[in-house]
Amino acid sequence: MRNTFGNVFTLTTFGESHGEAVGGVVDGMPAGIDIDMAFIQAELNRRRPGQSAITTSRKEPDQVELLSGVFEGKSTGCPIGFIVRNTNQHSQDYENMRCLFRPSHADYTYYNKYGVRDHRGGGRSSARITISRCVAGALAKLALRQLGVTITAYTSQVGTIALERDYHLYDLSLTESNAVRCPDPEKAAEMEKLIAKVKGEGDTIGGIITCVIQGCPKSLGEPEFDKLHAVLGHAMLSINAVKGFEYGEGFAGVSARGSEQNDVFVSDNHRIGLASNRSGGIQGGISNGEDIYFRVAFKPVATLLMEQPTVDKEGNATTLTARGRHDPCVLPRAVPIVEAMAAMTILDFYLVNKSVQM
């Protein structure tokens, strides 16, 4: 069971939704980076449950404790161990599904693979495990600050309510101004209303998160299997509930001709640039210095607060009505997770490049 992401900058995670704690070990963090604990905690707070009326009502402080790898406020270059303790589990809410398989969850596949599963909130398959990604992503962001790299994700679609695809049309600084994390206040209000309606019906809804990476150095990525966009896709598709990934023009570009789609090279005083960026900052699997932008599709949350048909471990037909505290839409809390995985990917590739060039 692989629990590690990355090559030079790596994250190994541990824990279950209803265990004592979730946590991880970050290795490969460059030495001498200022460790801003307030920033790390703020990143965790963006993912934290109970933020608004359109998220789960579960209340967790999600207070991170760094156990190693930091001395006098700076990273030492040694592994950084951390934990976030679970303090508000309602394990009894899941007792009625101990022997049942929840539709579209990992219950059935985990049970078939391992012969055992933790029915309390999904155990290891729970989205609560993404806490570790947010901590590691915050550390990666602190390192990327020194390179001038910024990463901004936002909710660009909920159900059929969607923003225009061009992120230049929006003031991304408005993303954190509303509960949906959408930079268009009017669309955000529509999205929030839709999520509240769906929640009231005991149902769930999905959507899309757009992410923009600015200031990315040139030459990140490998020419064959570890293309930059391939690893970004791997990172995003490893997030719970993600069903799709596209970068640049993505699927929308298939209806255009090559003459309409190509990014033409231009020169300004012999400085080479591009007249457009339909490639999304990556060509041949390697970053070209332009903005990297991509979209991540999230399915509706699988846990519904309504009766659904299912089967038990013996294959007997039955019904399940889930209890507990669940998100009607995962997108608002997934925005910082998308940013975290992007940050880890970019920093890891930067460190790989640095080691190759030494």
Side-chain angles (χ1 to χ4, degrees), residues 59-342:
K59 298 289 186 180
E60 290 274 7
D62 285 354
Q63 193 72 35
V64 63
E65 303 172 41
L66 299 190
L67 306 177
S68 62
V70 179
F71 179 68
E72 295 184 340
K74 293 184 181 292
S75 58
T76 65
C78 297
I80 299 177
F82 63 88
I83 60 170
V84 174
R85 300 184 187 278
N86 297 325
T87 62
N88 190 10
Q89 309 99 315
H90 287 183
S91 300
Q92 67 275 10
D93 288 342
Y94 298 89
E95 192 59 34
N96 67 322
M97 57 187 72
R98 176 185 288 271
C99 297
L100 305 182
F101 296 123
R102 295 172 296 171
S104 286
H105 272 280
D107 301 349
Y108 180 73
T109 51
Y110 268 54
Y111 184 70
N112 274 273
K113 184 175 180 66
Y114 301 107
V116 63
R117 72 177 177 92
D118 185 347
H119 67 283
R120 306 166 303 165
R124 185 68 175 155
S125 68
S126 169
R128 186 157 177 77
I129 309 306
T130 58
I131 283 174
S132 300
R133 301 176 185 226
C134 286
V135 175
L139 291 168
K141 283 184 176 183
L142 290 174
L144 290 173
R145 275 183 183 177
Q146 299 192 0
L147 304 177
V149 179
T150 61
I151 300 172
T152 306
Y154 61 92
T155 298
S156 56
Q157 183 169 340
V158 174
T160 59
I161 302 171
L163 304 189
E164 297 293 331
R165 292 174 61 91
D166 186 355
Y167 63 91
H168 294 99
L169 299 175
Y170 303 97
D171 179 358
L172 301 188
S173 68
L174 297 176
T175 298
E176 294 294 315
S177 66
N178 54 75
V180 187
R181 294 200 162 92
C182 171
D184 183 323
E186 292 184 7
K187 289 285 188 181
E190 293 180 39
M191 292 174 178
E192 187 167 353
K193 184 176 180 181
L194 175 58
I195 295 171
K197 179 178 183 295
V198 168
K199 180 181 180 181
E201 296 168 351
D203 215 334
T204 63
I205 196 163
I208 294 173
I209 289 175
T210 297
C211 186
V212 183
I213 304 172
Q214 296 175 302
C216 181
K218 297 178 181 179
S219 304
L220 302 190
E222 302 300 321
E224 185 57 21
F225 298 110
D226 284 339
K227 292 177 168 64
L228 179 55
H229 61 266
V231 178
L232 279 170
H234 168 212
M236 299 306 144
L237 289 164
S238 73
I239 300 172
N240 307 55
V242 169
K243 287 294 186 179
F245 170 85
E246 62 174 0
Y247 74 103
E249 287 295 289
F251 288 104
V254 304
S255 59
R257 297 190 178 189
S259 56
E260 301 170 312
Q261 188 73 7
N262 281 354
D263 293 320
V264 177
F265 288 104
V266 294
S267 177
D268 181 11
N269 291 326
H270 301 287
R271 182 176 180 177
I272 297 174
L274 296 173
S276 59
N277 185 26
R278 300 182 184 92
S279 300
I282 304 171
Q283 294 171 321
I286 299 171
S287 61
N288 60 15
E290 301 291 325
D291 289 354
I292 296 171
Y293 61 95
F294 57 86
R295 289 155 46 96
V296 187
F298 285 78
K299 71 173 184 174
V301 177
T303 300
L304 311 182
L305 298 182
M306 60 173 65
E307 187 175 274
Q308 293 184 89
T310 188
V311 297
D312 62 21
K313 291 180 180 180
E314 284 71 45
N316 300 311
T318 184
T319 60
L320 168 67
T321 300
R323 297 194 294 264
R325 301 157 296 173
H326 307 281
D327 285 293
C329 178
V330 74
L331 274 78
R333 295 176 59 213
V335 165
I337 304 168
V338 168
E339 290 181 0
M341 295 307 296

Side-chain angles (χ1 to χ4, degrees), residues 26-43:
V26 168
D27 204 358
M29 180 72 176
I33 303 296
D34 290 328
I35 302 302
D36 185 344
M37 287 301 300
F39 173 76
I40 296 171
Q41 188 59 53
E43 290 294 278

